[in-house]
Amino acid sequence: MAGINLDDSVMTTRLDSVVNWARKNSLWPLPFGTACCAIEFMSMMASRYDFSRFGAEALRFSPRQSDMLLVLGTVTNKQAPVLRQIYAQMAEPKWVVAVGVCASSGGMYRTYATLQGIDRVVPVDVYVPGCPPRPEGMIFGVMELQKKITRESLSARKEHVERFYQSLARQEELQKAKGLSQYQVVREMVLEAGAQGGQQIW
Amino acid sequence: MVIERIEAQLPGAVLERHAFRGDETITVAGTSFLAVVDFLFGEGFQMLLDVTAVDLETPEYRFEVVYHLLNLASQARMRIKVPVADGAAQPSLTGRFKSADWSEREVFDLFGIPFEGHPNLTRLLMWEDFPGHPLRKDFPLDGGDIFCSNDIGASYSPEARSLNA
Protein backbone atom coordinates (compact mmCIF):
# COMPACT_ATOMS: atom_id res chain seq x y z
CA MET A 1 0.00 0.00 0.00
CA ALA A 2 1.45 3.29 -1.01
CA GLY A 3 1.96 5.79 1.80
CA ILE A 4 0.02 9.02 1.63
CA ASN A 5 2.14 12.15 1.71
CA LEU A 6 0.35 14.78 3.79
CA ASP A 7 3.11 17.37 3.68
CA ASP A 8 1.47 19.60 1.10
CA SER A 9 -2.16 19.32 2.20
CA VAL A 10 -2.04 19.65 6.01
CA MET A 11 -1.12 22.69 8.02
CA THR A 12 -0.81 22.55 11.79
CA THR A 13 -1.87 25.55 13.86
CA ARG A 14 -3.74 26.49 17.02
CA LEU A 15 -7.53 26.57 16.99
CA ASP A 16 -7.50 30.13 18.36
CA SER A 17 -5.39 31.49 15.52
CA VAL A 18 -7.32 29.86 12.72
CA VAL A 19 -10.72 30.81 14.13
CA ASN A 20 -9.58 34.35 14.92
CA TRP A 21 -8.15 34.68 11.42
CA ALA A 22 -11.59 33.86 10.02
CA ARG A 23 -13.35 36.16 12.49
CA LYS A 24 -11.21 39.20 11.88
CA ASN A 25 -11.68 39.02 8.13
CA SER A 26 -15.43 38.61 8.17
CA LEU A 27 -16.72 41.27 10.55
CA TRP A 28 -20.36 42.21 10.05
CA PRO A 29 -20.84 45.79 11.17
CA LEU A 30 -23.98 47.19 12.78
CA PRO A 31 -24.06 51.00 12.71
CA PHE A 32 -25.64 52.62 15.78
CA GLY A 33 -25.58 56.08 14.25
CA THR A 34 -26.80 58.87 16.51
CA ALA A 35 -24.85 61.90 15.30
CA CYS A 36 -22.40 63.33 12.75
CA CYS A 37 -20.00 60.37 13.09
CA ALA A 38 -22.61 58.38 11.17
CA ILE A 39 -22.13 60.74 8.20
CA GLU A 40 -18.40 60.03 8.20
CA PHE A 41 -19.26 56.35 8.46
CA MET A 42 -21.29 56.56 5.23
CA SER A 43 -18.23 58.00 3.57
CA MET A 44 -16.14 55.17 4.98
CA MET A 45 -18.48 52.56 3.51
CA ALA A 46 -18.64 54.29 0.10
CA SER A 47 -16.29 53.76 -2.82
CA ARG A 48 -13.65 56.39 -1.95
CA TYR A 49 -12.57 54.75 1.32
CA ASP A 50 -14.11 51.36 0.46
CA PHE A 51 -14.40 49.60 3.77
CA SER A 52 -15.12 46.29 2.02
CA ARG A 53 -11.35 45.93 1.53
CA PHE A 54 -11.30 44.75 5.15
CA GLY A 55 -13.92 42.06 4.69
CA ALA A 56 -16.54 44.07 6.55
CA GLU A 57 -18.79 45.34 3.78
CA ALA A 58 -21.86 43.31 4.81
CA LEU A 59 -23.73 46.06 6.66
CA ARG A 60 -26.69 44.73 8.60
CA PHE A 61 -29.22 46.92 10.34
CA SER A 62 -30.29 44.07 12.58
CA PRO A 63 -28.25 43.16 15.67
CA ARG A 64 -29.11 39.48 15.17
CA GLN A 65 -27.08 39.39 11.96
CA SER A 66 -24.00 41.34 12.97
CA ASP A 67 -21.03 41.02 15.29
CA MET A 68 -19.30 44.43 15.26
CA LEU A 69 -21.24 47.27 16.87
CA LEU A 70 -20.10 50.71 15.69
CA VAL A 71 -21.46 53.36 18.04
CA LEU A 72 -21.36 56.54 15.97
CA GLY A 73 -22.32 59.56 18.02
CA THR A 74 -23.72 60.91 21.28
CA VAL A 75 -25.59 58.41 23.43
CA THR A 76 -28.01 59.90 25.95
CA ASN A 77 -28.90 58.36 29.29
CA LYS A 78 -32.30 57.58 27.81
CA GLN A 79 -30.66 55.57 25.05
CA ALA A 80 -28.36 53.65 27.40
CA PRO A 81 -30.78 50.73 28.05
CA VAL A 82 -31.55 50.59 24.32
CA LEU A 83 -27.86 50.30 23.53
CA ARG A 84 -27.50 47.55 26.14
CA GLN A 85 -30.39 45.63 24.61
CA ILE A 86 -28.97 45.95 21.10
CA TYR A 87 -25.58 44.72 22.31
CA ALA A 88 -27.26 41.78 24.06
CA GLN A 89 -29.13 40.84 20.88
CA MET A 90 -26.02 40.68 18.69
CA ALA A 91 -24.62 37.40 17.45
CA GLU A 92 -21.65 36.07 19.42
CA PRO A 93 -18.77 36.66 19.39
CA LYS A 94 -19.25 40.42 19.37
CA TRP A 95 -17.07 43.50 19.43
CA VAL A 96 -17.78 47.18 20.02
CA VAL A 97 -16.05 50.19 18.50
CA ALA A 98 -16.80 53.58 20.13
CA VAL A 99 -16.44 56.08 17.29
CA GLY A 100 -15.88 59.75 18.18
CA VAL A 101 -15.43 61.53 21.49
CA CYS A 102 -19.15 61.49 22.40
CA ALA A 103 -19.39 57.72 22.35
CA SER A 104 -15.97 57.38 24.01
CA SER A 105 -16.39 59.82 26.90
CA GLY A 106 -19.48 61.99 26.48
CA GLY A 107 -17.27 64.48 24.64
CA MET A 108 -18.27 68.10 25.12
CA TYR A 109 -21.63 67.18 26.63
CA ARG A 110 -20.97 66.99 30.37
CA THR A 111 -24.66 67.19 31.28
CA TYR A 112 -27.45 65.28 33.02
CA ALA A 113 -28.74 64.05 29.65
CA THR A 114 -25.59 62.51 28.17
CA LEU A 115 -24.04 59.16 28.96
CA GLN A 116 -20.38 59.88 29.84
CA GLY A 117 -18.97 57.24 27.52
CA ILE A 118 -20.67 54.07 26.34
CA ASP A 119 -18.09 51.97 28.20
CA ARG A 120 -20.14 52.72 31.33
CA VAL A 121 -22.89 50.41 30.04
CA VAL A 122 -21.40 48.09 27.38
CA PRO A 123 -17.89 46.64 26.96
CA VAL A 124 -15.86 48.59 24.38
CA ASP A 125 -12.91 47.12 22.44
CA VAL A 126 -11.60 50.09 20.47
CA TYR A 127 -12.03 53.85 20.95
CA VAL A 128 -11.63 56.14 17.94
CA PRO A 129 -11.02 59.79 18.92
CA GLY A 130 -12.14 62.76 16.81
CA CYS A 131 -15.15 65.00 16.43
CA PRO A 132 -15.99 63.43 14.10
CA PRO A 133 -13.05 61.19 13.22
CA ARG A 134 -12.10 61.07 9.56
CA PRO A 135 -12.95 57.87 7.69
CA GLU A 136 -9.25 56.89 7.79
CA GLY A 137 -9.46 57.14 11.59
CA MET A 138 -12.40 54.76 11.73
CA ILE A 139 -10.66 52.35 9.35
CA PHE A 140 -7.57 52.49 11.57
CA GLY A 141 -9.79 51.73 14.57
CA VAL A 142 -11.20 48.64 12.88
CA MET A 143 -7.69 47.56 11.87
CA GLU A 144 -6.69 47.83 15.52
CA LEU A 145 -9.72 45.69 16.37
CA GLN A 146 -8.54 43.11 13.83
CA LYS A 147 -5.13 43.03 15.55
CA LYS A 148 -6.88 42.60 18.89
CA ILE A 149 -8.99 39.72 17.54
CA THR A 150 -5.81 38.01 16.28
CA ARG A 151 -4.34 38.09 19.78
CA GLU A 152 -7.36 37.13 21.88
CA SER A 153 -8.27 33.67 23.17
CA LEU A 154 -11.67 32.19 22.32
CA SER A 155 -12.56 31.39 25.92
CA ALA A 156 -11.59 34.87 27.17
CA ARG A 157 -13.92 36.47 24.62
CA LYS A 158 -16.73 34.18 25.75
CA GLU A 159 -16.25 35.10 29.41
CA HIS A 160 -16.02 38.77 28.49
CA VAL A 161 -19.49 38.63 26.91
CA GLU A 162 -20.81 36.46 29.74
CA ARG A 163 -19.97 39.20 32.27
CA PHE A 164 -22.21 41.56 30.35
CA TYR A 165 -25.12 39.09 30.44
CA GLN A 166 -24.75 38.91 34.22
CA SER A 167 -25.05 42.70 34.49
CA LEU A 168 -28.12 42.59 32.26
CA ALA A 169 -29.71 40.00 34.56
CA ARG A 170 -28.90 42.26 37.53
CA GLN A 171 -30.51 45.19 35.73
CA GLU A 172 -33.75 43.23 35.24
CA GLU A 173 -33.67 42.05 38.85
CA LEU A 174 -33.24 45.61 40.17
CA GLN A 175 -35.94 46.89 37.85
CA LYS A 176 -38.43 44.38 39.27
CA ALA A 177 -37.35 44.88 42.87
CA LYS A 178 -37.45 48.69 42.81
CA GLY A 179 -40.32 49.11 40.34
CA LEU A 180 -38.36 51.63 38.24
CA SER A 181 -38.21 52.27 34.50
CA GLN A 182 -35.34 50.71 32.53
CA TYR A 183 -33.81 54.19 32.06
CA GLN A 184 -33.77 55.00 35.76
CA VAL A 185 -32.34 51.57 36.66
CA VAL A 186 -29.38 51.94 34.28
CA ARG A 187 -28.86 55.51 35.52
CA GLU A 188 -28.84 54.37 39.15
CA MET A 189 -26.49 51.49 38.35
CA VAL A 190 -24.07 53.96 36.72
CA LEU A 191 -24.27 56.39 39.66
CA GLU A 192 -23.80 53.55 42.14
CA ALA A 193 -20.72 52.32 40.28
CA GLY A 194 -19.36 55.88 40.26
CA ALA A 195 -19.93 56.32 43.99
CA GLN A 196 -17.91 53.17 44.59
CA GLY A 197 -15.08 54.45 42.39
CA GLY A 198 -15.99 52.14 39.51
CA GLN A 199 -16.41 53.17 35.92
CA GLN A 200 -18.77 50.61 34.48
CA ILE A 201 -21.81 48.52 35.34
CA TRP A 202 -20.93 45.35 33.42
CA MET B 1 -52.38 98.25 16.77
CA VAL B 2 -53.46 95.04 18.39
CA ILE B 3 -52.02 95.90 21.79
CA GLU B 4 -53.99 99.15 21.96
CA ARG B 5 -57.14 97.20 21.16
CA ILE B 6 -56.34 94.70 23.94
CA GLU B 7 -55.88 97.60 26.37
CA ALA B 8 -59.19 99.12 25.28
CA GLN B 9 -60.99 95.77 25.49
CA LEU B 10 -59.34 94.47 28.69
CA PRO B 11 -58.05 97.43 30.68
CA GLY B 12 -55.15 96.61 32.98
CA ALA B 13 -54.47 93.21 31.37
CA VAL B 14 -51.17 94.22 29.76
CA LEU B 15 -48.66 94.82 32.54
CA GLU B 16 -45.74 95.64 30.32
CA ARG B 17 -44.91 95.84 26.62
CA HIS B 18 -41.94 96.30 24.37
CA ALA B 19 -41.03 95.77 20.74
CA PHE B 20 -37.77 94.64 19.19
CA ARG B 21 -37.37 95.06 15.42
CA GLY B 22 -41.11 94.79 14.87
CA ASP B 23 -41.70 91.84 17.19
CA GLU B 24 -44.14 92.76 19.95
CA THR B 25 -43.88 91.37 23.49
CA ILE B 26 -46.52 91.79 26.17
CA THR B 27 -46.46 90.70 29.80
CA VAL B 28 -49.88 89.61 31.01
CA ALA B 29 -51.11 88.77 34.51
CA GLY B 30 -52.16 85.17 35.05
CA THR B 31 -55.75 86.21 35.86
CA SER B 32 -56.36 87.85 32.47
CA PHE B 33 -54.19 85.47 30.40
CA LEU B 34 -57.02 83.37 28.93
CA ALA B 35 -59.08 86.46 28.03
CA VAL B 36 -56.07 87.99 26.22
CA VAL B 37 -55.41 84.75 24.29
CA ASP B 38 -59.09 84.57 23.30
CA PHE B 39 -59.00 88.17 22.12
CA LEU B 40 -55.80 87.61 20.11
CA PHE B 41 -57.29 84.48 18.55
CA GLY B 42 -60.22 86.58 17.36
CA GLU B 43 -57.74 89.10 15.94
CA GLY B 44 -56.17 86.37 13.77
CA PHE B 45 -53.31 85.09 15.96
CA GLN B 46 -54.40 81.51 15.36
CA MET B 47 -51.10 79.62 15.38
CA LEU B 48 -49.27 78.79 18.61
CA LEU B 49 -45.63 78.40 17.59
CA ASP B 50 -43.98 77.64 20.89
CA VAL B 51 -44.44 77.45 24.62
CA THR B 52 -41.39 77.77 26.82
CA ALA B 53 -40.43 79.14 30.22
CA VAL B 54 -37.67 80.98 32.05
CA ASP B 55 -36.57 80.33 35.62
CA LEU B 56 -35.99 83.87 36.92
CA GLU B 57 -35.43 82.90 40.56
CA THR B 58 -37.20 86.11 41.63
CA PRO B 59 -38.91 86.03 45.04
CA GLU B 60 -42.36 87.37 43.88
CA TYR B 61 -42.79 84.92 41.05
CA ARG B 62 -40.25 82.35 40.03
CA PHE B 63 -41.11 81.46 36.45
CA GLU B 64 -42.13 83.29 33.33
CA VAL B 65 -44.06 81.14 30.83
CA VAL B 66 -43.53 82.44 27.29
CA TYR B 67 -45.95 81.91 24.38
CA HIS B 68 -45.23 82.73 20.74
CA LEU B 69 -48.24 83.41 18.50
CA LEU B 70 -48.34 83.97 14.75
CA ASN B 71 -51.03 85.76 12.78
CA LEU B 72 -51.19 83.71 9.58
CA ALA B 73 -53.02 86.44 7.65
CA SER B 74 -50.72 89.38 8.44
CA GLN B 75 -47.58 87.40 9.42
CA ALA B 76 -47.43 89.46 12.63
CA ARG B 77 -45.93 87.79 15.66
CA MET B 78 -46.76 88.24 19.32
CA ARG B 79 -44.87 87.07 22.38
CA ILE B 80 -46.89 86.73 25.61
CA LYS B 81 -45.11 86.38 28.94
CA VAL B 82 -46.98 85.25 32.04
CA PRO B 83 -45.40 85.33 35.51
CA VAL B 84 -46.05 82.13 37.48
CA ALA B 85 -45.20 81.54 41.12
CA ASP B 86 -43.32 78.41 42.23
CA GLY B 87 -45.83 75.58 42.57
CA ALA B 88 -48.68 77.53 40.92
CA ALA B 89 -50.51 76.07 37.93
CA GLN B 90 -50.86 77.70 34.54
CA PRO B 91 -54.10 77.24 32.53
CA SER B 92 -53.60 74.90 29.56
CA LEU B 93 -54.18 76.14 26.01
CA THR B 94 -54.85 72.65 24.62
CA GLY B 95 -58.52 73.48 24.15
CA ARG B 96 -57.61 76.41 21.89
CA PHE B 97 -54.43 75.19 20.15
CA LYS B 98 -53.58 71.55 19.42
CA SER B 99 -49.88 72.43 19.28
CA ALA B 100 -50.02 73.35 22.97
CA ASP B 101 -50.17 69.64 23.89
CA TRP B 102 -46.53 68.64 23.46
CA SER B 103 -45.15 72.15 24.15
CA GLU B 104 -46.84 72.23 27.54
CA ARG B 105 -45.68 68.70 28.30
CA GLU B 106 -42.12 69.81 27.54
CA VAL B 107 -42.40 72.82 29.88
CA PHE B 108 -43.91 70.58 32.55
CA ASP B 109 -41.08 68.07 32.07
CA LEU B 110 -38.18 70.51 32.19
CA PHE B 111 -39.52 73.18 34.58
CA GLY B 112 -42.14 71.34 36.64
CA ILE B 113 -44.89 73.88 35.92
CA PRO B 114 -48.28 72.09 35.97
CA PHE B 115 -50.82 72.99 33.26
CA GLU B 116 -54.41 72.90 34.45
CA GLY B 117 -56.80 71.21 32.04
CA HIS B 118 -54.13 69.40 30.00
CA PRO B 119 -55.49 66.03 28.82
CA ASN B 120 -52.21 64.10 29.28
CA LEU B 121 -49.71 65.96 31.42
CA THR B 122 -46.79 63.50 31.42
CA ARG B 123 -43.09 64.00 30.75
CA LEU B 124 -42.13 64.44 27.11
CA LEU B 125 -38.32 64.21 26.97
CA MET B 126 -37.05 62.71 30.22
CA TRP B 127 -38.23 59.33 31.45
CA GLU B 128 -41.21 59.17 33.79
CA ASP B 129 -39.35 58.49 37.03
CA PHE B 130 -36.53 60.97 36.32
CA PRO B 131 -35.79 62.86 39.54
CA GLY B 132 -36.27 66.64 39.26
CA HIS B 133 -36.75 69.14 36.45
CA PRO B 134 -33.52 69.77 34.54
CA LEU B 135 -34.01 73.34 33.31
CA ARG B 136 -34.67 74.76 36.78
CA LYS B 137 -31.74 76.88 37.90
CA ASP B 138 -31.31 74.87 41.10
CA PHE B 139 -30.94 71.60 39.15
CA PRO B 140 -27.25 70.65 38.92
CA LEU B 141 -26.12 70.68 35.27
CA ASP B 142 -24.57 67.25 35.64
CA GLY B 143 -27.64 65.79 37.39
CA GLY B 144 -25.46 64.67 40.30
CA ASP B 145 -23.34 62.46 38.03
CA ILE B 146 -19.89 61.90 39.49
CA PHE B 147 -18.52 61.41 35.96
CA CYS B 148 -19.47 65.01 35.08
CA SER B 149 -17.72 66.49 38.10
CA ASN B 150 -15.51 69.56 37.65
CA ASP B 151 -12.71 67.47 39.04
CA ILE B 152 -11.90 65.79 35.75
CA GLY B 153 -9.99 63.02 37.48
CA ALA B 154 -13.05 61.91 39.42
CA SER B 155 -14.19 59.63 36.65
CA TYR B 156 -10.94 57.71 36.52
CA SER B 157 -9.32 55.12 38.71
CA PRO B 158 -7.26 56.29 41.74
CA GLU B 159 -4.02 55.70 39.81
CA ALA B 160 -5.18 57.82 36.90
CA ARG B 161 -6.41 60.47 39.32
CA SER B 162 -2.99 60.79 40.92
CA LEU B 163 -1.56 61.43 37.44
CA ASN B 164 -4.00 64.29 37.03
CA ALA B 165 -3.23 65.92 40.36
Side-chain angles (χ1 to χ4, degrees):
Chain A
M1 214 168 124
I4 304 166
N5 185 1
L6 293 177
D7 283 356
D8 296 333
S9 53
V10 173
M11 180 185 82
T12 56
T13 179
R14 289 184 304 119
L15 181 66
D16 282 14
S17 14
V18 71
V19 170
N20 284 337
W21 171 80
R23 283 178 174 178
K24 84 173 169 108
N25 289 308
S26 62
L27 291 165
W28 290 47
L30 166 68
F32 187 87
T34 49
C36 49
C37 290
I39 307 295
E40 294 295 302
F41 171 77
M42 291 171 209
S43 176
M44 178 179 101
M45 295 306 291
S47 52
R48 189 177 184 95
Y49 294 96
D50 193 15
F51 195 48
S52 53
R53 292 176 292 156
F54 301 88
E57 78 268 44
L59 253 197
R60 287 295 177 272
F61 294 92
S62 155
R64 302 280 185 204
Q65 298 163 8
S66 46
D67 57 10
M68 177 171 65
L69 178 63
L70 292 162
V71 182
L72 307 143
T74 323
V75 177
T76 58
N77 284 319
K78 203 172 174 179
Q79 267 177 320
V82 179
L83 180 64
R84 272 167 76 79
Q85 192 173 352
I86 283 175
Y87 179 73
Q89 286 173 340
M90 282 168 64
E92 281 177 52
K94 43 196 169 190
W95 299 274
V96 179
V97 182
V99 178
V101 290
C102 297
S104 303
S105 70
M108 67 202 86
Y109 306 110
R110 298 185 81 80
T111 76
Y112 63 91
T114 308
L115 184 64
Q116 300 298 303
I118 58 162
D119 53 358
R120 310 259 180 257
V121 296
V122 294
V124 175
D125 294 290
V126 175
Y127 302 84
V128 181
C131 185
R134 288 191 53 84
E136 296 98 312
M138 294 186 197
I139 291 173
F140 182 69
V142 176
M143 285 166 75
E144 288 297 305
L145 179 64
Q146 287 183 322
K147 278 189 208 161
K148 191 177 175 177
I149 294 171
T150 315
R151 289 195 303 265
E152 76 190 4
S153 91
L154 300 184
S155 56
R157 171 56 49 178
K158 214 176 168 88
E159 283 160 22
H160 183 69
V161 176
E162 195 54 45
R163 266 210 307 283
F164 174 80
Y165 291 142
Q166 285 165 9
S167 87
L168 203 66
R170 183 164 173 264
Q171 179 191 331
E172 275 163 22
E173 217 172 86
L174 278 175
Q175 197 178 331
K176 266 192 208 130
K178 292 187 175 177
L180 299 170
S181 66
Q182 54 174 347
Y183 315 104
Q184 189 62 21
V185 163
V186 171
R187 175 90 176 137
E188 285 189 5
M189 284 169 80
V190 168
L191 292 181
E192 180 199 279
Q196 289 168 3
Q199 295 173 62
Q200 70 234 5
I201 63 175
W202 45 273
Chain B
M1 275 302 294
V2 188
I3 299 174
E4 278 79 47
R5 286 203 290 279
I6 299 173
E7 277 168 341
Q9 204 55 226
L10 306 156
V14 178
L15 302 176
E16 210 182 303
R17 57 176 285 189
H18 70 266
F20 180 73
R21 293 184 182 163
D23 282 351
E24 298 281 353
T25 302
I26 53 174
T27 306
V28 170
T31 44
S32 47
F33 169 66
L34 282 180
V36 169
V37 170
D38 279 348
F39 180 82
L40 283 170
F41 193 86
E43 289 282 325
F45 288 86
Q46 297 186 350
M47 187 173 178
L48 178 65
L49 296 172
D50 191 19
V51 181
T52 182
V54 186
D55 186 353
L56 297 166
E57 291 190 298
T58 43
E60 318 88 78
Y61 55 87
R62 180 171 175 178
F63 301 105
E64 205 168 57
V65 183
V66 186
Y67 298 83
H68 291 94
L69 293 176
L70 174 69
N71 186 331
L72 286 169
S74 70
Q75 294 293 303
R77 285 161 201 273
M78 177 73 72
R79 183 183 295 122
I80 309 174
K81 293 182 175 180
V82 187
V84 179
D86 198 0
Q90 174 71 359
S92 170
L93 290 186
T94 42
R96 181 60 91 188
F97 302 100
K98 278 193 174 163
S99 66
D101 188 340
W102 280 25
S103 307
E104 288 179 353
R105 280 176 66 191
E106 186 188 359
V107 172
F108 166 72
D109 184 355
L110 302 179
F111 289 92
I113 300 169
F115 285 85
E116 240 169 11
H118 193 288
N120 175 33
L121 196 63
T122 49
R123 283 181 183 272
L124 183 71
L125 299 172
M126 309 310 291
W127 51 91
E128 272 174 30
D129 44 359
F130 181 85
H133 301 285
L135 286 189
R136 287 186 172 206
K137 293 284 186 201
D138 54 9
F139 187 91
L141 177 64
D142 55 22
D145 190 339
I146 189 166
F147 300 120
C148 293
S149 160
N150 284 335
D151 171 18
I152 301 281
S155 58
Y156 299 99
S157 61
E159 303 87 70
R161 217 174 303 171
S162 62
L163 290 174
N164 258 320

